[in-house]
Amino acid sequence: MIAAPGTEPTTAASGAGRTEPILAVDGLRKTFGRGRKEAVAVDGISFELHEGGSLGIVGESGSGKTTTARMLIGLEQPTAGRILVDGSDLTRPARRIKDLRARGRLIQIVFQDPYTSLDRRQKVGDCLGEVVRLHFGLSGSALNGRVRELGELVGLQERQLRALPRELSGGQRQRVAIARALAAEPKILILDEAVSALDVSIQAQILNLLADIREQRGVSYVFISHDLAVIRQITDTAIVMRHGQVVEQGQTANVLDSPQDPYTRLLRDSVPHAGWQPGTVK
Amino acid sequence: MTALAAIAEARRRTRKRPLGRHLSILGWCAAAVLAVVALLAIFGPLLVTVDPNAVDLSGAYSGPSPEHLLGQDASGRDLFSRLLSGASTSLVGPLLVVVASTVLGTALALSAVWIGGWFDSAIARVIDAVFAFPGLLLAILATSIFGTGLQAAVIALSISYTPYIARIVRGAALRERSLPYVAALRVQGLRGTSISLRHILPNIAGLISANATLSFGFALIDLAALSFIGLGVQAPTADWGAMIGSGMAGILQLEPQEALWASLLIVITVAAANSLGDELVKRSENRS
């Protein structure tokens, strides 16, 4: 049902100016508190994401990645700046329920913790069904069919759709969270440390799944992570954030292989590898 | 890998036990006692063979006999039938208090938590203010305005029990609201009322019902105390609290049966409600 773009997702990288970006963020800023206690979480960042593209946001804890994500999905109101999604201004969080739903059909999120991001009393199938009904008003067999389809999309069997979250593993739960986000058929999916809580082997499965979904559905990703290996695998372009500012941006490979900014170099050198000595990281 | 998965699967299965298994023996006994008391309150009037209000002055303070299983009170009324028919009046009052305060407290707390901001602060301040008044004092005040009787006492106690429930529900709902699944549902565009009633409420329902059970015991004591001092259930209606009051004179004449039996029933019911409530509260806290 998503308007699948004809463009090859992997080539639909940044390519600024080529097409209208699906997501354009301009001078986004968020401060908490005021006066002396004012803390700047996000300090005027700008970036663009093209349809079917995948943008990575890298940075250490407290660099403003998650605050950026929360502003994108409308859980925080930006202090300044603009958020344009598919041409419509989504800077301010929606007030009316109709606008909230419309925003939900444009942009969705998958959170880090697969254990608390699902209602523990709701069966997986009901969880997906609730969202499908909300957005598309399906019922009966059409609803069930769509729920099964979503389950298939993320590799969940019918048996797992009848299960409660506690009966599923972390990786399976994260598949449910992805399916729930995709149930709204959004144009943009934000993945906020979505694989950080998973084992490495499960991480790989989920990353492959996400890559497949992007190819099939043409969904654009904003992938937030502190893990450079993950960013390299799943994103085309990347921005590096520090203290709420963008210190570097460009093609993911360029950013990670030949970083211009000392902070990016520090981040990269902080990743343990063969022969790595913590003392040498400066 | 498959063997490990099988073990993990088996572990998950065994962890999924029916709710009842979590109750201890004491908890089961308490539940059974409450069930028996409830049955007495409902079907008690059918078991009554002697009119509970029939006065027989010649039989005052007489001991147990085949006609009067537990003896007679100062006016010669049958104690057994008075205790039985008093069960419903003694239990309906606290039940109404619990239902009213739980519904009101939960509704207030959920809306405060969802709306947040100044509304939440205002509700929190009002809760604290009402908290400052002892429930019994408020009830006595209410009876002095609206007149004695069960109705005024129940309304007053419902109001004074509401903040107790509201505070507990607010704390639990705040924790629940901060979980990512609530944010995810909000991002989908679910209404606040739907999230509160369909997702937050079911997840804290265990805690709410546990605290309702606890406050049933307290409400029973408070209403019995009001009837005891003559502000609650009025004579000649049989009521356990009122029976302790009217049995006072008997204690001085070394005929304590009436007060004794009535207090015993109150103590047993309250103890059962409290131990069951305590256990349910602990269980629901462990789960969340």
Side-chain angles (χ1 to χ4, degrees), chain B residues 77-89:
Chain B
R77 292 177 295 192
D78 181 51
L79 278 182
F80 182 70
S81 49
R82 282 189 75 71
L83 287 170
L84 268 186
S85 62
S88 56
T89 34

Side-chain angles (χ1 to χ4, degrees), chain B:
Chain B
M1 154 95 197
T2 46
L4 280 179
I7 291 170
E9 184 70 26
R11 284 218 181 111
R12 272 200 296 281
R13 284 283 146 75
T14 49
R15 225 184 294 146
K16 208 181 114 189
R17 287 191 195 131
L19 294 178
R21 289 263 206 90
H22 289 271
L23 280 186
S24 68
I25 295 172
L26 181 71
W28 272 116
C29 291
V33 167
L34 285 181
V36 168
V37 172
L39 286 176
L40 280 183
I42 297 166
F43 298 109
L46 301 178
L47 301 176
V48 168
T49 47
V50 187
D51 176 9
N53 293 331
V55 175
D56 169 21
L57 289 174
S58 65
Y61 293 136
S62 59
S65 65
E67 297 87 61
H68 307 289
L69 288 175
L70 295 176
Q72 288 156 283
D73 71 359
S75 317
R77 292 177 295 192
D78 181 51
L79 278 182
F80 182 70
S81 49
R82 282 189 75 71
L83 287 170
L84 268 186
S85 62
S88 56
T89 34
S90 308
L91 299 178
V92 163
L95 192 68
L96 288 175
V97 169
V98 166
V99 169
S101 60
T102 302
V103 170
L104 196 63
T106 304
L108 274 178
L110 284 181
S111 45
V113 164
W114 188 261
I115 296 168
W118 66 268
F119 185 73
D120 186 32
S121 323
I123 296 271
R125 290 296 87 74
V126 171
I127 287 174
D128 287 344
V130 180
F131 235 125
F133 289 97
L136 215 46
L137 200 67
L138 209 65
I140 292 170
L141 189 74
T143 51
S144 72
I145 297 170
F146 303 111
T148 53
L150 198 58
Q151 208 177 349
V154 164
I155 293 173
L157 280 184
S158 303
I159 292 171
S160 64
Y161 276 52
T162 297
Y164 168 76
I165 295 285
R167 192 145 89 164
I168 288 165
V169 175
R170 181 172 171 271
L174 271 179
R175 271 199 304 280
E176 203 66 26
R177 193 199 194 297
S178 67
L179 293 178
Y181 83 82
V182 172
L185 290 169
R186 190 63 184 162
V187 170
Q188 288 286 357
L190 219 66
R191 268 176 218 284
T193 44
S194 307
I195 297 178
S196 296
L197 295 178
R198 294 218 304 261
H199 294 276
I200 295 180
L201 183 60
N203 276 303
I204 59 175
L207 187 70
I208 296 175
S209 58
N211 279 289
T213 312
L214 261 186
S215 52
F216 178 81
F218 295 124
L220 178 55
I221 291 183
D222 280 354
L223 281 175
L226 279 175
S227 298
F228 171 75
I229 58 176
L231 296 178
V233 176
Q234 295 299 297
T237 313
D239 172 87
W240 297 346
M243 283 176 77
I244 302 177
S246 63
M248 287 280 285
I251 295 174
L252 298 178
Q253 295 169 43
L254 300 182
E255 299 284 358
Q257 305 91 328
E258 184 181 12
L260 208 61
W261 284 115
S263 343
L264 192 68
L265 284 175
I266 291 178
V267 167
I268 289 175
T269 314
V270 171
N274 282 3
S275 46
L276 181 65
D278 264 336
E279 199 158 310
L280 292 176
V281 168
K282 281 195 195 108
R283 205 185 73 178
S284 61
E285 278 166 358
N286 283 343
R287 297 192 136 208
S288 53

Side-chain angles (χ1 to χ4, degrees), chain A residues 45 50 72 91-92 97 106 109-110 125 139 226 237 247:
Chain A
I45 63 168
H50 284 269
L72 289 179
T91 310
R92 304 177 129 270
I97 203 78
L106 283 175
I109 188 165
V110 176
S139 61
H226 61 273
T237 55
V247 294

Side-chain angles (χ1 to χ4, degrees), chain A residues 1-214:
Chain A
M1 288 187 210
I2 287 177
T7 48
E8 188 70 34
T10 42
T11 56
S14 73
R18 203 165 48 82
T19 48
E20 189 72 358
I22 187 89
L23 171 68
V25 170
D26 185 30
L28 199 63
R29 183 180 162 85
K30 178 72 187 175
T31 58
F32 292 103
R34 47 178 73 157
R36 269 200 190 166
K37 283 189 193 158
E38 188 183 75
V40 181
V42 176
D43 195 2
I45 63 168
S46 306
F47 57 84
E48 283 186 354
L49 172 65
H50 284 269
E51 189 151 7
S54 177
L55 171 83
I57 302 183
V58 201
E60 60 193 3
S61 315
S63 58
K65 295 173 298 185
T66 293
T67 308
T68 305
R70 291 177 65 84
M71 286 191 282
L72 289 179
I73 53 175
L75 289 176
E76 298 281 357
Q77 175 155 4
T79 315
R82 280 218 309 169
I83 301 169
L84 283 179
V85 177
D86 204 16
S88 45
D89 189 334
L90 293 188
T91 310
R92 304 177 129 270
R95 287 242 161 258
R96 286 180 311 163
I97 203 78
K98 197 172 129 264
D99 301 336
L100 207 64
R101 284 178 194 169
R103 184 179 192 132
R105 283 190 290 272
L106 283 175
I107 192 160
Q108 277 297 331
I109 188 165
V110 176
F111 291 105
Q112 172 173 9
D113 184 1
Y115 292 89
T116 53
S117 59
L118 298 176
D119 182 349
R120 57 193 177 280
R121 296 183 68 93
Q122 195 175 34
K123 286 185 180 156
V124 168
D126 297 341
C127 168
L128 300 180
E130 185 176 25
V131 173
V132 172
R133 202 167 43 232
L134 181 76
H135 289 295
F136 305 104
L138 297 183
S139 61
S141 59
L143 181 69
N144 289 335
R146 180 69 187 131
V147 167
R148 266 199 304 275
E149 210 176 288
L150 282 166
E152 270 166 37
L153 180 67
V154 297
L156 289 172
Q157 290 151 9
E158 206 135 330
R159 187 172 61 88
Q160 287 152 343
L161 291 178
R162 284 193 299 270
L164 283 169
R166 68 159 170 268
E167 297 164 61
L168 302 180
S169 67
Q172 287 168 334
R173 289 182 206 212
Q174 207 60 320
R175 287 170 192 268
V176 177
I178 292 169
R180 179 180 58 192
L182 291 174
E185 299 182 11
K187 294 195 185 307
I188 301 168
L189 184 59
I190 297 176
L191 298 130
D192 186 3
E193 302 276 10
V195 296
S196 307
L198 306 175
D199 295 344
V200 179
S201 60
I202 308 294
Q203 257 189 23
Q205 289 175 15
I206 299 288
L207 289 175
N208 285 336
L209 172 72
L210 288 171
D212 291 345
I213 289 173
R214 179 154 75 111

